[in-house]
Amino acid sequence: MEAEPWILPEQDELSMTLHNSAVTMNSEEEFYDAETGLESGDDLSDVSFKDALVNDCKDSSNAIRPQDNGVWERRKTLPAPMISRSDYSVWGILKKCVGMDLSKITMPIVFNEPLSFLQRMSEYMQHTHLIHKACTLSDSIDRMQLFSCVISLCQVVAAFAVSSVASQLDRTGKPFNPLLGETYELTRHKEAYTWTNPFCCVHNIIMGKLWIEQYGTVEIENHHTGDRCVLNFKPCGLFGKELHKVEGHIQDKSKKKRRVLYGKWTECMYSVDPKMYEASKNKGDAKIKTQQQCAGEETEGGPEVQETVAVIPGSALLWRIAPRPPDSEQMYNFTRFTMTLNELEPGMERLLAPTDCRLRPDIRAMENGDLDTAHVEKDRLEEKQRVGRKERSNAEEEWLTRWFQLGSNHHTGAQDWLYKGKYFDRNYTNCPNIY
């Protein structure tokens, strides 16, 4: 799958809302649990979840527990471990569907993970400390890197773009398809860049262990300065020599190569001067270095990742993947950040739109380990979508988006879904009852 460009607006602070109003689903086709499109938008909000009263929190397994100092801490695990998929075969299902439209095949819920596709997309914001660091840098080339983890916006953003796919390692579960009108709200910091994502390929669907490969070219553009970064996610190759490798460079508006970037999207990324890179290739003096931690990086308490990237002398570490939590394998291989995406913070329900992913009963049931309820709720929601589509068709009514509209992206000039305001008025009285 090749994702649409991820647009980062020019704002120091924002609340981001992901909304699946009507991209592929706007055609009113029959609903099945298959991947669809996604739009993103943003605006400032005067209301935050921190303003909510902590006593709004219900005493449940999903609630955040207060610490002794009264500070609420995000959860570090899921309410229940994942359900084993050992008794299920993807090929066993697909071979019965030969000749069918793959987009209309409903996969068993056991192959899902307890997140909506909108939440899965929001994992791009996991390593926002890199963007925060970029905001402190003045030089545009410096901002595309992170020299010695302190200086250097284009290299930082490049590291951020690579890190955004790192959470997909070993993640073979399918997120829940967003319902028509579903939303997800996430508050984070952002900057003004666009980029495309590499292709994601899942291997061994028919037999063997499933594993994920990222490959293809990623281009990052600073629309203000004209600086550009080109990253090549290398395909595995016949003997796996290039597995997970990423190489590329940053060039200024005159197309002069300013920095070379290299590493693995599963481990780390480094930056080096182009001349030193070429000299090292000729000498072959790159070595595997002892791990060091980047500024602002959080560790997750799991085993350290054995680094296999040979480091060129004079290189600067831009980003290193943090170890997964100790129980990650039993929790859908989620990172600590991912485990918080479906969490309901204290007082959050009274501020969220009723269409927010966190309120979906099928995802909540699966997260709690209740597969039977999750399956029943998933079927009910799918049928509810089909009935709604039929009713609108009979009444000759079209689905109308509420907070986004098609227009020209002022950065790229391409057609895009643009935020049209009013979401953060928190007036959701006219929201559809999709759950």
Side-chain angles (χ1 to χ4, degrees):
M1 179 188 71
E2 184 176 12
E4 292 298 316
W6 189 263
I7 310 300
L8 300 184
E10 294 182 307
Q11 294 177 332
D12 294 330
E13 292 251 35
L14 78 150
S15 293
M16 176 180 68
T17 302
L18 305 181
H19 186 235
N20 188 55
S21 293
V23 180
T24 57
M25 296 298 291
N26 195 37
S27 63
E28 295 286 18
E29 293 180 356
E30 190 171 3
F31 179 83
Y32 291 84
D33 190 10
E35 294 181 4
T36 63
L38 176 69
E39 307 83 53
S40 64
D42 48 83
D43 195 12
L44 293 174
S45 173
D46 293 330
V47 183
S48 73
F49 301 138
K50 296 178 182 178
D51 299 325
L53 298 176
V54 295
N55 59 12
D56 283 349
C57 182
K58 297 179 180 178
D59 185 19
S60 68
S61 60
N62 190 60
I64 309 171
R65 303 301 181 189
Q67 296 178 335
D68 293 337
N69 60 5
V71 177
W72 292 90
E73 183 181 10
R74 293 184 182 275
R75 68 186 183 186
K76 296 181 180 179
T77 186
L78 298 180
M82 68 179 290
I83 296 115
S84 174
R85 299 170 182 154
S86 59
D87 295 332
Y88 298 86
S89 166
V90 176
W91 174 241
I93 297 167
L94 294 180
K95 68 181 181 181
K96 299 176 183 178
C97 305
V98 175
M100 295 178 60
D101 183 350
L102 289 178
S103 67
K104 293 188 176 182
I105 297 174
T106 302
M107 300 294 288
I109 200 170
V110 72
F111 292 113
N112 285 46
E113 60 181 20
L115 291 176
S116 168
F117 191 67
L118 303 188
Q119 292 168 313
R120 181 74 177 259
M121 291 295 289
S122 70
E123 290 184 61
Y124 288 102
M125 307 311 294
Q126 178 163 349
H127 297 281
T128 51
H129 69 273
L130 294 171
I131 298 298
H132 297 166
K133 181 60 66 177
C135 294
T136 68
L137 306 173
S138 57
D139 182 74
S140 62
I141 296 296
D142 283 349
R143 290 197 300 264
M144 274 207 190
Q145 73 162 354
L146 193 56
F147 187 79
S148 297
C149 299
V150 176
I151 63 171
S152 279
L153 186 33
C154 190
Q155 290 188 89
V156 176
V157 176
F160 179 73
V162 174
S163 70
S164 65
V165 302
S167 66
Q168 297 182 27
L169 180 63
D170 296 327
R171 293 273 297 283
T172 56
K174 176 186 176 298
F176 282 71
N177 185 64
L179 303 176
L180 184 62
E182 184 175 306
T183 60
Y184 182 66
E185 181 179 335
L186 178 70
T187 302
R188 290 294 186 270
H189 300 264
K190 291 205 254 180
E191 274 288 297
Y193 286 78
T194 63
W195 68 87
T196 55
N197 291 322
F199 292 98
C200 179
C201 179
V202 180
H203 292 269
N204 295 339
I205 290 181
I206 295 179
M207 61 182 300
K209 182 180 179 180
L210 292 175
W211 63 278
I212 290 175
E213 177 183 13
Q214 307 276 357
Y215 66 92
T217 301
V218 171
E219 294 189 4
I220 307 164
E221 182 176 358
N222 184 324
H223 294 277
H224 178 67
T225 65
D227 300 330
R228 182 184 294 270
C229 177
V230 180
L231 294 173
N232 179 24
F233 284 68
K234 296 191 174 184
C236 175
L238 184 61
F239 300 106
K241 184 179 179 181
E242 304 294 299
L243 181 64
H244 304 323
K245 283 188 177 181
V246 182
E247 291 184 358
H249 67 273
I250 295 172
Q251 63 186 40
D252 58 26
K253 62 181 179 181
S254 64
K255 297 186 178 181
K256 179 182 178 180
K257 190 179 293 187
R258 299 287 297 274
R259 299 291 288 186
V260 172
L261 308 181
Y262 66 95
K264 291 187 177 183
W265 64 268
T266 56
E267 296 180 20
C268 56
M269 286 296 295
Y270 286 91
S271 166
V272 70
D273 181 87
K275 292 181 180 178
M276 298 185 71
Y277 177 78
E278 292 299 329
S280 179
K281 284 179 61 177
N282 295 332
K283 294 180 180 179
D285 57 353
K287 298 179 181 179
I288 296 177
K289 292 178 63 176
T290 304
Q291 291 191 10
Q292 64 186 88
Q293 186 172 323
C294 225
E297 195 174 53
E298 295 184 15
T299 59
E300 303 198 4
E304 291 187 352
V305 177
Q306 183 63 45
E307 189 167 307
T308 62
V309 175
V311 181
I312 297 170
S315 296
L317 176 66
L318 301 179
W319 160 83
R320 172 173 282 116
I321 192 170
R324 297 275 176 94
D327 55 355
S328 179
E329 288 189 10
Q330 290 76 46
M331 301 291 171
Y332 305 90
N333 287 300
F334 283 1
T335 64
R336 188 173 66 180
F337 177 87
T338 305
M339 289 184 186
T340 69
L341 293 178
N342 202 47
E343 184 177 27
L344 279 170
E345 298 179 33
M348 185 181 281
E349 282 191 68
R350 67 181 180 85
L351 291 175
L352 286 175
T355 51
D356 195 280
C357 307
R358 299 174 182 89
L359 307 178
R360 279 188 62 162
D362 51 351
I363 295 179
R364 184 64 61 193
M366 185 175 190
E367 182 184 85
N368 290 332
D370 189 348
L371 193 63
D372 291 338
T373 299
H375 179 76
V376 170
E377 287 295 325
K378 176 173 173 287
D379 286 348
R380 181 183 65 82
L381 293 175
E382 290 176 351
E383 183 59 26
K384 185 179 178 71
Q385 290 267 298
R386 297 184 186 112
V387 170
R389 175 196 61 83
K390 186 175 181 179
E391 290 176 349
R392 287 190 296 274
S393 177
N394 292 338
E396 297 184 348
E397 295 178 355
E398 291 186 3
W399 176 269
L400 299 177
T401 58
R402 286 164 177 76
W403 299 298
F404 296 85
Q405 62 186 5
L406 277 174
S408 176
N409 186 298
H410 70 279
H411 290 301
T412 65
Q415 279 283 98
D416 208 344
W417 287 93
L418 309 177
Y419 178 58
K420 60 182 182 181
K422 296 187 177 181
Y423 174 87
F424 293 103
D425 292 348
R426 304 290 180 188
N427 181 5
Y428 305 129
T429 54
N430 293 323
C431 278
N433 177 12
I434 63 173
Y435 301 143

